[in-house]
Each structure stands twice: as structure tokens, then as C-alpha cells.
């Protein structure tokens, strides 16, 4: 009783648009458009982001413990790292030679697109849960692995193309840059959660599940409210930056999703897993990478990357991308 | 006169710097030999590099403020190293003359302000 | 097997007084009396207030989706707006001609009493749930509608009575004042929650219910702890202000409750609905209106309104008002 | 079918080490070792600590309401106060005459060890729940009672040994010191929760239970993450302070646990209750007492006590102490 | 001497204003032509209009603090517009002489402080 | 010239004090007769008594900062009482000359700064 694909696409789009999560996201965006004096307290935003990362990490870890370390898991992790290396190179090429951006700006933006946005991932995973699809737990491990390779690639691209990127005497050693990227709270809670989940297994679900799993969707709603606020502010800044970058912010996720879907297909992922790996490719970091790039390539304009990742690509992915990639996932499955 | 608090004439530096470079500014202050500093860790602002309005997810757009009261030579050392840093990273420094009241650890007080020539009291 | 009214009143009073909510409120008040060094972090207070507003909004929206937009709903909303217009006029008259207050102070205080206190409403709604009574979901929509008319009426009263209120060149345009009042976080989450609840309907309850509904009473307890602290501080300030305003802070809720009960009765509300509409009339705003009045009528002393609304009327309503109005509601039902 | 004691000890140790709580604690510690840029927002930490104190208070209160005020309860409370008086005297003697510390430093540290660490208690209580053991609810009342006597004893010891402790003209009156110690948020919520729980009884569990009880273990995990961060930072500071104090920080909990176990045994506590009363003796305060000592004995170095209580004794208790004391508790039961 | 950081002599304004009027003060600073400002968004205090001690529910009783380093003429413009604002709204402004270290964008540095006559270095 | 804001020449005190003694510092300021003060309630720092880096559980290692603009005599009174306090508790005070813009309550303005001799405008 499978519906015809087009109908299905519209059903999924509508179901996504009318989910509490996306509606809260829209609420935040509208609040900014209406020039509302609304700001979630920073402590609350950080607390929610730590909670969400720990929760998704635990979930992934528990499932890893369940599924065991099969060859597929190892291959999937490898695929994640490869995506994280390949995507920034594509992005750099487009920006440098297509858009004529400076090597430093191109490299900084590229690094963001090679990494991932955890909240986009969470929104997609919740979409799957709501629609009744399951997904491979190790996609969460892939996400954790994909946080960082793009940073190294971005830096390498910058140093190969512009001597200024190498010779900044004040510049911090690579060690500090990687520390900045990997050892911020979100990544630590994601990876820590994974390990803790893998160590404790199902049993953890019983004791800490009511906190970390049952409340998850509600917390995600309030977090997306804040994403709506921040994305709308970034989006407003962007209008000054021009059409090429806007186009890039809408096209690059499609390229990333295609690469993600391809690798997922090769690895034999389920429909749900395909969506998630598409999201890993399509989404751009706005937590770990910005700080690392700021330290490593201070001459690059941080407003470009943040506006693109948060103001263009994030809303595109959660509103259009999730149903679109899922539709393709179901077609190619 | 013995009852009057003795104040030391020093320079007050107020440094605004982007949050991710705070640690380095603190290191500069320490290495220059300052006796201390005070940090206001979260400020926002605008400068030549545009608005830096915070945002809950990253501290790329947040500033920190550090106040350090130091001798003239220490101030010069700090400013020299800062000059280089703020070429690449958002920041600035403000220097004012100030009289300081320290706890009395037998600390060097080369130039106590007199009630007549100095400012306060 | 209905008990005699007086017994019932005492039963409800006691049950209210011994509810965890009111006990936490008392705890906060006692902590201030004991000069404790206790302060809930501002981020926590804001987070709880956003949570509570979103939750009650969602609840109202889901019930609206269920009940549909009947004539009664529309009439109820109209009644809410009328209350919001009528009550500030009554309050203004009492303060100006009874109490001899300046037009600006009288208008500013009056605006607070025409608007509503969401936390009083929440406490009353929880009282009903605990006692096993249901209530009309659209009372929540009435609350959302009543946030603002009183602000316009207060301003109008001020401008009609004192030229200074009109000519403040520095004064912001009405647009900005209304924005201040309507577009703060609490109101946005209340209204946004209503709309989202109405759009998603029952289904939202399943996914975000464990967060927004199951935890509600517990969060309300900690929020009332903070209300106890803030109310006690305001109450302490007040002793300097005098007997007339204290009297006003205790009488005006009775007038408001009477008007509310009357309109509820005319509209055929249930016992629970009657209590809530009484609370809408009886309670005074201390979130949206203070900021709006501060901007619009800076010459008015903000300490008066806050002390009255938070230090006198709020505790009166949650301790005496809820059981009293409910008792009357049951009598006139 | 009781296992042999040694096996049992290792089982309990392992089960404790692999609990999500201890793993989150370890995660925080590791993050600091890795020099991660990770800081839980202060508002979040305070919010969690208030939540945990209110929750444990409520739990204790509800159980007190259930168990009633028997002679044992009264004797247990008395025992708690006696422990709070005895332990600082022992600690003072060791530090002053064994370690040659100044009277002021010895007295300040001693006061910390006479008081208790609520988080250690919570971790032990959760350990019991996970292992399927119950415990006497009034141990929570004992904890509340033990917060303060040690402060008075510490002060007395200081004043008897060093005239400077008495004559500080700037020094605040004892009243203010006790206020600082007893009337901070954590203690108020613990005691307030106890009273509220006792007043409302089981019924409160139904309404606010989903918030205060069901989420408890999850919140405790994130709180222990923060404890791991703070303990590791303190531990790092400590290396400068020397071997004697480190030894003290590891020995004093054993002495305290022994005294606790002894009194628990005399009072006929269950195995679970024995563990908890051992923890009351073994743990050292790092919330209420530090502030009180700072005000009362400013000449004492606050870094000593904090480093000991938070950096040495806390990790020792939660990692080694809990299974060890429980093992002894089961042996002597 | 070329190595010494060049400081500019300017006025440092520190403005305390009630939180709901912060946006307007920022607008005044922007319109006066200041090159930037730094905000400490949440302070409390006491003044002629009583204690303003914050409180989690409203920002009617909270203050913000803005620091702006500007040329004398800009300072005068800002103060003139502030004078009016603080008649109705809680606030005040403090002016001090200061030497400023900016990043070197080829910015106008009309009066660099000399190591001998100026304060720091 | 009537349109020019009138500024008052005063002392600006900036006091850093450990958080648990903030209340006492406020009392000292009040008792000395200051017209007001502004508090930045949470700062961190380093001084002679080591690093004070905050920490979420206690305010034993946190500092507060208070700014008060006062007449010379009031400054002297405050400093005198502070001198004693900071012997035992972490803290320091910085004094600077400042011109202040107050709201015009008919407040005493003994020495208005002139546009020519004073700093701003
Ligand atoms: N004129 C100024 N007055 C006060 N603060 C400033 C000024 N210019 C810059 N700042 C602060 O320094 C930060 C960095 O400035 P910039 O590097 O010029 O973008 C800004 O975000 C402000 O917080
Ligand atoms: N003398 C002063 N020193 C420092 N800050 C002050 C002073 N007077 C007022 N303030 C600050 O300015 C705010 C408004 O002052 P006012 O309008 O006089 O009530 C106060 O809440 C304080 O934060
Ligand atoms: N030279 C300094 N410059 C700025 N702030 C200082 C300085 N010395 C001390 N402080 C501040 O005053 C606090 C107490 O200093 P102390 O009593 O010397 O430990 C420190 O934690 C700093 O916040
Ligand atoms: Na990507
Ligand atoms: Na009302
Ligand atoms: Na103890």
C-alpha cells in the first residue's frame, strides 16, 4: 500500500512542517521578524544543548552496545571521515573558483560544510521517530567522527593557497585549534554520552531514560525556538552579502546530501539511516567549527560562515531538506 | 596623616577582547608581571569589525573585558603585545591614570598619593 | 452528596494551602523574612517562565482544536477584551478620585489590573486539576487576549488626564510600547503555544506531552518558590507606601473577580471555567505591563504597581482568592 | 544465596563505577585533564542543585510522614547532631597536632568535615536504589540537621585556640555566620522540601513526582558531570599543598564513616541506612560551610578546605567509599 | 621609538541606563558617530530613583552599562542627548580622559601619546 | 552655552571585593553618604590571594565589582573603611577623576565643568 512518490513527498513535507519542532522554529523566526524583545537566557540555551548532545550520545551508545561493532559500523565510520574530507574540498573549489572568494574565506566556509550540525541531525532523527521509521544507531557515532576532519582539511586548504594562513606568528598551534574544536562542551557530551551509553547499555535507559529520552522532543522544541531566533538574526545580516553565497548555502547541502546518500546506499543503510547520513553531508557546523576557524584563520570573516550555516543552510535543511532527502532515500532504497 | 589610606599611582588598563582570545590576553598580562586582573567575562559590543552581539551557541561573537591595574612599564609591555593581537582579533585597550588602594602586604608603594597633591582622599 | 458551602470553602482553602505549590510559595516568602541569601538564577527563572507559558499555551491550543471555534469561544474572547477595557477604568476611578493619586500613577496602576497574571491563572488551573474539576480550554485564549487592551486603556486615561503623558518628545511611539508589551518572551510563548497546539492537536500531546504536561506541576512549584521570594521583597518595600494602596490591592481583585464571574456566568461557563475567568479579572500583570508602562509613562513610579501587583494582589489571589472565587463559582453555578 | 564478601565488594564497586552517574563524573574529570573549554553555565548548576535538594527533601519528608515520628527518628537526629560535634573535634586534633596546621586553618577544615556533602549522599542513595536496597527516610532529616553544628564547633575551636579569631572587629556576628550557612538556597530547599513533603505526604508524589522523582537520576548525572569538572580543577590546585593534607582527605572520610556506621549500628539501621549514615560521617561540605568559614575565619586559606572536600574527599567517597562502606554495612548488619 | 604602540587621547564615557532604554542609548551613540561601544548588559544599583535590584521577571528594575571611547565632540553630542533621556529614565554618565589602543586600520590618530608626555607606555 | 550639559567633577571609585562581602561594601558606601552605586555582580580575577575563578557551587571564589561616583570627602571615608576590610578579604579599589552627568533634580552642582577648561563636552 505504498503511495505514489509525489503524494508521499507532500505528506512528509506537511507532517514535518506541522510538527511541534518546526512550528517552534517558525515561532522564533517570526518573533525576530516582529522585532520582539525575546532572548532565551544563555544558560538555558547551553543547558539544552548539553542535554540534547548527552541524550543523543547515550542513545547512540546504547544502540552500539546492542548492535555490536560489526564491519558495517567500522565502514560507516570510515565513510563519515571520508565525507568530512571530501566535502570541504568540493565546497572550497566552488567558492574559490566559482565565487572568486579569497582562499581564507573559502577555506573557512568550506570547513563548516564538511562538519555537521547536530541539531539538524536531531530534528531529522525525531522526524523518523514520529513517522515510525528506525535508523542505524551508529549514524550517531558517524556524526561524532565527522565533527573534526573538516577543520584539518579547511586549514590545509588555506595553508596551501595563502601563505598568510601559515605564518601568523600569533596564530595558535594546530593542537590548540583542534582542542577548541573537539573539546567544547557539545562534542564532549556527544562523545562522552556515546561511550557511557556503550558501557552501561540498556540498563542506563531504565534509570536515566525518563530524563534523557522521554523529555527529548519537548526540549528539542524549545531549542528549535532558539534556533529560529538565531537563524532569523543571521539571515537578516546576510542580505548584505549577496546572491552567490545564498546560492551556495542552498546548493551545497544538496551536494552534501547526495554524497551522503550515495555512501549510505553503498553501505546498505535503511531508509532512516539514509536520511541521517544525507543530513550529515548536507548540514553545516555552527558550534565547533566557527570557534576553531576563528582561532586558526582570523583573517576570514566569521560572519560569512555563520550566516550561511545558521541563516541559510540550517532552515533549508530542516524545512525542505528533511522531507526531500527522505523522499529520495525511500526512492533509492 | 597616619590614618589616611595610602594610594598608589598606577595605570588602569581596560581591555576588550573577543572571548576566544581571553586566555591569551590573561597570559600576556601575567607574563608582563601584573599583580592581578579582574575579568567581566561576557560583554557585547560594536567596533570596526562590526557588531558582536553574543548568541547562545558559540562565543565567536562575544567579547570579554579585563581590567588590570599596573605600573607604567608593565602597561607598556602589555600594550605592545596587545597591539599585535588586535590586528587579527576584535579588541581594543583603554588606559587611564588611577590611584589604587591595595591591601597592605608590605607591598612596594613607591609613590603614595598625598592628600594634597593626589586625587583622593 | 454535596457538603454544606461553608465546610466546602474551608476544605478547598485547606487543600489549596497544603498543596505543594502554595507551600513552595510560602517557603520563598519565609526565606526572605529570614533574610536568607537565596536567589534563583535569572536564567532559571526565565527558563521556567517560558516553559510554563509554552505549556499552558499548548494545552489551550490542543483543547481549542478539540472544542472547535464555537460561538461561545468567540463570545468568551470578546468578554475577555471587554474586561480588559472595563477594569482599568474602574481601577483608575478608584485611585484618582478615591485615593487622590496623580493621573499618571493612577493610569499606570490601572493598566496592571486590567491585564492578567499568568502564574495566578496557572495556579488556579492546577488547583482545579487537583480537585478533579475540568475547565474550558478557551479561557487560555481569553488570557492571551487580555494581556494588552488594558495597556492601551491605561495610556488613553493618562493622556486624557495629564498633558505630560502626551507630549514626552522622548517618549516612544505607541507602536513601540505595544511591541514591548506584546512581544516579550512570555506572551510570545503563550500565543505561539496556543497556535502550535491548535495546529498540531492531540498528536502533539504524545510527543511533547511528557515534557510540557507531565512536568508542569513540579516546575510550577519551583516557579512559585521564586514568586514567594519576589513577592516578599516587594511586600517589604510596600510598607512605606500606605494603607490606601494596600486596601486597593486587596479590594480590586474582588471587583475584578466579580466582573469575571459575572461574564462567565452569562456565558454559561462550568465551575472550573468560572474560577479561571474570575482569576483573569482579579489578577494583575507584573511581566508585560510594567515594561510597557515604564516606557510609556516614565513619570509614574514603577514601584507602586509592582508592589501592588506582586506583593499584595498576587499572594492574596493564590492564597485567599482561589478558594474564595471557586466557592462563589460553585454557589452561582 | 549470599555471595562471598570479597566477590560482593568487587561486584558493588564495578556496578558503582559503571553507573551512568560515576561515568558522567569521570567524563567531567577527563574533560578537565584534556584542558577542554567546557563549563556548565552557572545558572544551570545552581538550578540543578536546587532541584536535587528540593527533590531529596520532598522524598525524605514524604517518608517521614509515612514512618511517623518514632523514638528511633528522634534518636537518629540526635546521633546526627552528635556526629556533627564529634567529627570536627577529631579532625581539628589531627590537623593541629598531627599536621601542625595553624589553629585557624585546622578549625576551618575541621568544620567542613563535620558537615555533610549532599551530592555524595544523593549518589549513595541512588546506588542503593539501583542495587535494590531501601533506606530509612529519616537519614535525610539527619543530613539536614548535620549541616550546621560543625560550623559552630569549628568556630569555637578557633576561638579557643587563637585570639585573632575572636577579635576581628570587622568580623560579622555569629548570627550572620549561621545565617550564611543555614540560609543558603541549598539548605533552604532541603529543609523546605522535608517540611513540604511531610505536610503533603504521598499525595505530593502523584502531582509533583514526575518532575521531582522520575527525572532525579538523569539530573544527578549532569550534576555529577559538573562535580567532575570542579573536583578535577580543585585536585589540580592541590598538588601544591602537600602529602599530609592529601592523606587527611583520604583518612578522615574513613574515620567519619566508622563513626557513622557505629551510630547507625547502635540505632539498628538497615543495610541501606547504614551506608547513608556512613556517608554523612565520611563526606565534607563544599557549599554551606565554605561561605560560613570564609566570613568567620577569613585568615584561614579557603583553598585548603575546598581542595580537600571537593578535590580529594568527594571523589574518594563516590568512587571507593560507597562500595566500601556498603560492604562493611552488609558485614556488620 | 617606532616599536612603541601609539595611543590616541580620547574621552571614555561610561553610561548607566535602565535596561529598557539601552536600545535608545545605543542609537544615540551610533548616531553621534562613535566608532564603537561595549555593553555590560546586566547590572544593578542605587541612585536618586531608589534601588534597582533586578528580579527575574521584568527588566524594569535592571540597569545596563555602556562604555564608549570617543572624540570630544562625539562625547558632547552623546551627553547632550543623554541629558534629556535621564530626566525621565534612571541613568547617569561618567566621563574620563583615556588613552586608547586601536587596531591599526590606517585609522585617524591625530594625537598619539608620546612616551614622555603621555601616560602609557 | 546654556544648552550644554553641565558636568560635575567627582571621584569614580571602582571596588573589587569578594562576593560574600559585597553587602558590607554597599553598606560602607551608603553610610559614607554616596548618592548611588552600580554593581557588576559576577566577576573573576587574580590578585595577591591567588586566582578567584568562580565555580557554580559557592561564591567563596567569586568577586563583585562596585562603581560609585562620589565627592572627594565621601571617597576618603569609603577608602578608609575599605582599607581595613581588604586586609582580610580579597579586594582592592581604584580611584579616577571623572566628570559626571546627573539628571537635574536641582542637585548640588558646585563645580560645573566649563566647555573650555573641562573635558567634555
Ligand atoms: N569606540 C569604542 N568604544 C568602546 N568599545 C569599543 C570601541 N570600539 C570597539 N570597542 C569594543 O571592542 C570590540 C572589538 O572592536 P573592533 O576590533 O574594532 O571590532 C567591540 O566589539 C567593542 O566591544
Ligand atoms: N553616584 C553613583 N555612582 C554610581 N552609580 C550611580 C550613582 N548614581 C546612580 N547610579 C547608577 O545609575 C542608576 C540610575 O540612577 P538614578 O537615575 O539616580 O536612580 C542607578 O540605579 C545606579 O546604577
Ligand atoms: N592589579 C590588579 N588589577 C586588577 N584587578 C586586581 C588586581 N589585583 C587584584 N585584583 C582584583 O582583586 C581581587 C582580590 O585581589 P587580592 O586581594 O589581591 O587577591 C582579585 O581577585 C582581582 O579580581
Ligand atoms: Na556537512
Ligand atoms: Na485583571
Ligand atoms: Na561529615
Amino acid at each position: 500500500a505504498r503511495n505514489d512518490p509525489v503524494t508521499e513527498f507532500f505528506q512528509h513535507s506537511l507532517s514535518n512542517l506541522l510538527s511541534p519542532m518546526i512550528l517552534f522554529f517558525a515561532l522564533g523566526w517570526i518573533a525576530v521578524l516582529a522585532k520582539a524583545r525575546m532572548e532565551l537566557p544563555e544558560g538555558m540555551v547551553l543547558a539544552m544543548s548539553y542535554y540534547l548532545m548527552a541524550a543523543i550520545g547515550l542513545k547512540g551508545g546504547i544502540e552500539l552496545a546492542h548492535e555490536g561493532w560489526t564491519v558495517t559500523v567500522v565502514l560507516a565510520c570510515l565513510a563519515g571521515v571520508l565525507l568530512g574530507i571530501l566535502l570541504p574540498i568540493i565546497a572550497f573549489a566552488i567558492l574559490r573558483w566559482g565565487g572568486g572568494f579569497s582562499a581564507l574565506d573559502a577555506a573557512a566556509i568550506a570547513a563548516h560544510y564538511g562538519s555537521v550540525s547536530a541539531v539538524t541531525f536531531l530534528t531529522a532523527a525525531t522526524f523518523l521517530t514520529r513517522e515510525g521509521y528506525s535508523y542505524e544507531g551508529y549514524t550517531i557515532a558517524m556524526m561524532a567522527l565527522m565533527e573534526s576532519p573538516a577543520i584539518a582539511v579547511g586549514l590545509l586548504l588555506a595553508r596551501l593557497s595563502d601563505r598568510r594562513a601559515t605564518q601568523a606568528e600569533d596564530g595558535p598551534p594546530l593542537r590548540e585549534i583542534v582542542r577548541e574544536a573537539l573539546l567544547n562542551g557539545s562534542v564532549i557530551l556527544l562523545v562522552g554520552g556515546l561511550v557511557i551509553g556503550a558501557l552501561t547499555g540498556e540498563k542506563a535507559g531504565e534509570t536515566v531514560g525518563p530524563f534523557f529520552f522521554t523529555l527529548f522532543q519537548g526540549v528539542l522544541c524549545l531549542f528549535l525556538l532558539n534556533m529560529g531566533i538565531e537563524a532569523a538574526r543571521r539571515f537578516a545580516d546576510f542580505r548584505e552579502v549577496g546572491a552567490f553565497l545564498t546560492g551556495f548555502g542552498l546548493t551545497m547541502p544538496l551536494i552534501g546530501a547526495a554524497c551522503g546518500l550515495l555512501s549510505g546506499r553503498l553501505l546498505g543503510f535503511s531508509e532512516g539511516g539514509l536520511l541521517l547520513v544525507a543530513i550529515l553531508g548536507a548540514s553545516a557546523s555552527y558550534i565547533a567549527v566557527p570557534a576553531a576557524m576563528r582561532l586558526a584563520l582570523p583573517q576570514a570573516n566569521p560572519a560569512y560562515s555563520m550566516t550561511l550555516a545558521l541563516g541559510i543552510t540550517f532552515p533549508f535543511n530542516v524545512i525542505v531538506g528533511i522531507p526531500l532527502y527522505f523522499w529520495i532515500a525511500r526512492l533509492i532504497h | 596623616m597616619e590614618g589616611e589610606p595610602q594610594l598608589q599611582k598606577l595605570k588602569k588598563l581596560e581591555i576588550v577582547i573577543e572571548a576566544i582570545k581571553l586566555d591569551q590576553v590573561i597570559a600576556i598580562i601575567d607574563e608582563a608581571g601584573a599583580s592581578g586582573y579582574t575579568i567581566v567575562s561576557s560583554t557585547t559590543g560594536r567596533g570596526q569589525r562590526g557588531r558582536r552581539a553574543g548568541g547562545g551557541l558559540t562565543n565567536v561573537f562575544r567579547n570579554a573585558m579585563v581590567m588590570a591595574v599596573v605600573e607604567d612599564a608593565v602597561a607598556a609591555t602589555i600594550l605592545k603585545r596587545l597591539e599585535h593581537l588586535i590586528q587579527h582579533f576584535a579588541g581594543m585597550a583603554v588606559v587611564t591614570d588611577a590611584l589604587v588602594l591595595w591591601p597592605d602586604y608590605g607591598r612596594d608603594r613607591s609613590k603614595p598619593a598625598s592628600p594634597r597633591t593626589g586625587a583622593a582622599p
Side-chain angles (χ1 to χ4, degrees), chain A, chain B:
Chain A
R2 196 149 162 178
N3 290 336
D4 81 295
V6 179
T7 317
E8 219 171 51
F9 173 60
F10 281 109
Q11 279 173 349
H12 284 140
S13 293
L14 199 72
S15 147
N16 184 51
L17 277 178
L18 288 183
S19 68
M21 264 141 296
I22 302 301
L23 291 172
F24 271 100
F25 178 75
L27 180 61
W29 195 295
I30 291 167
V32 172
L33 291 186
K35 295 195 203 300
R37 191 189 282 274
M38 176 165 170
E39 203 86 62
L40 299 202
E42 282 190 11
M44 177 187 181
V45 173
L46 258 182
M48 290 195 297
S49 112
Y50 287 168
Y51 165 87
L52 292 171
M53 297 308 271
I56 192 76
L58 280 171
K59 190 168 186 318
I62 291 174
E63 282 182 31
L64 266 185
H66 193 73
E67 298 164 359
W69 281 89
T70 63
V71 180
T72 323
V73 176
V74 177
L75 287 179
C77 290
L78 260 172
V81 174
L82 284 178
L83 279 175
I85 292 171
L86 178 69
L87 289 174
I89 298 177
I90 300 177
F92 182 81
I94 297 176
L95 291 163
R96 186 97 181 89
W97 295 296
F101 281 84
S102 81
L104 298 180
D105 277 326
I109 299 173
H112 289 73
Y113 279 84
S115 183
V116 295
S117 148
V119 182
T120 316
F121 186 93
L122 298 181
T123 311
T126 307
F127 168 85
L128 289 173
T129 311
R130 217 177 39 244
E131 300 290 308
Y133 289 87
S134 65
Y135 54 89
E136 285 78 8
Y138 47 78
T139 47
I140 298 169
M142 289 177 71
M143 168 163 71
L145 279 171
M146 281 182 70
E147 295 272 357
S148 47
I151 294 169
V153 176
L155 230 81
L156 202 73
L157 290 169
R159 293 197 174 166
L160 291 176
S161 343
D162 187 331
R163 293 191 47 227
R164 276 183 300 156
T166 336
Q167 68 187 14
E169 316 118 75
D170 246 347
L174 189 65
R175 189 171 38 79
E176 199 194 320
I177 294 159
V178 171
R179 181 157 71 83
E180 184 67 39
L182 291 190
L183 296 181
N184 67 66
S186 298
V187 179
I188 287 177
L189 278 165
L190 175 63
V191 176
L194 263 171
V195 174
I196 293 174
L199 286 173
T200 55
E202 301 271 296
K203 262 203 333 202
E206 289 158 36
T207 54
V208 301
F211 178 65
F212 283 116
F213 304 148
T214 318
L215 307 185
F216 192 82
Q217 293 201 26
V219 176
L220 187 54
C221 282
L222 290 189
F223 196 77
L224 280 169
L225 173 75
N226 185 62
M227 293 298 299
I229 295 172
E230 298 214 24
R233 292 213 177 119
R234 287 283 145 208
F235 183 79
D237 285 359
F238 188 66
R239 278 174 243 172
E240 301 155 23
V241 179
F244 185 85
L245 279 186
T246 314
F248 176 82
L250 298 171
T251 320
M252 192 59 213
L254 296 176
I255 300 174
C259 298
L261 285 167
L262 192 71
S263 28
R265 189 71 192 77
L266 292 176
L267 290 160
F269 277 29
S270 70
E271 290 153 315
L274 282 175
L275 169 59
L276 293 185
V277 83
I279 290 290
L280 291 180
S283 65
S285 167
Y286 42 79
I287 300 185
V289 182
M293 285 299 118
R294 187 76 197 116
L295 279 176
L297 304 174
Q299 303 94 335
N301 184 348
Y304 283 165
S305 332
M306 281 300 276
T307 303
L308 275 176
L310 201 50
I312 308 278
T313 299
F314 179 80
F316 175 77
N317 275 329
V318 294
I319 291 173
V320 179
I322 289 176
L324 178 65
Y325 312 150
F326 188 57
W327 181 60
I328 303 176
R330 298 207 52 194
L331 287 182
I332 68 173
H333 183 64
Chain B
M1 283 301 121
E2 315 100 66
E4 301 273 311
Q6 302 279 301
L7 304 177
Q8 200 177 354
K9 197 163 175 302
L10 292 168
K11 292 277 171 273
K12 182 175 80 164
L13 295 183
E14 283 164 302
I15 302 165
V16 178
I17 190 72
E18 58 180 286
I20 57 169
K21 280 292 172 179
L22 174 61
D23 290 353
Q24 193 172 338
V25 169
I26 296 300
I28 289 174
I29 292 173
D30 280 340
E31 286 158 20
S35 68
Y37 51 81
T38 300
I39 301 171
V40 177
S41 65
S42 184
T43 66
T44 55
R46 184 179 65 76
Q48 298 298 313
R49 276 167 274 224
R51 279 197 66 213
R52 303 180 49 76
L57 294 164
T58 165
N59 39 9
V60 165
F61 297 100
R62 192 173 299 128
N63 295 331
M65 192 147 71
V66 190
M67 189 261 283
V69 189
V70 294
E71 287 91 54
D72 292 20
V74 175
T77 313
I78 294 173
L79 289 171
K80 188 140 193 185
R81 292 198 54 193
L82 274 182
E83 188 179 33
H84 190 72
L85 185 65
I86 64 175
Q87 283 307 322
H88 291 316
F89 295 97
M92 68 173 308
V94 187
V95 187
T96 7
D97 288 312
L99 296 169
V100 184
L101 176 73
W102 301 110
D104 182 7
Y105 309 104
R107 179 198 285 258
D108 164 35
R109 285 175 167 189
S110 36
K111 294 188 232 164
S114 118
R116 241 128 259 140
T117 64

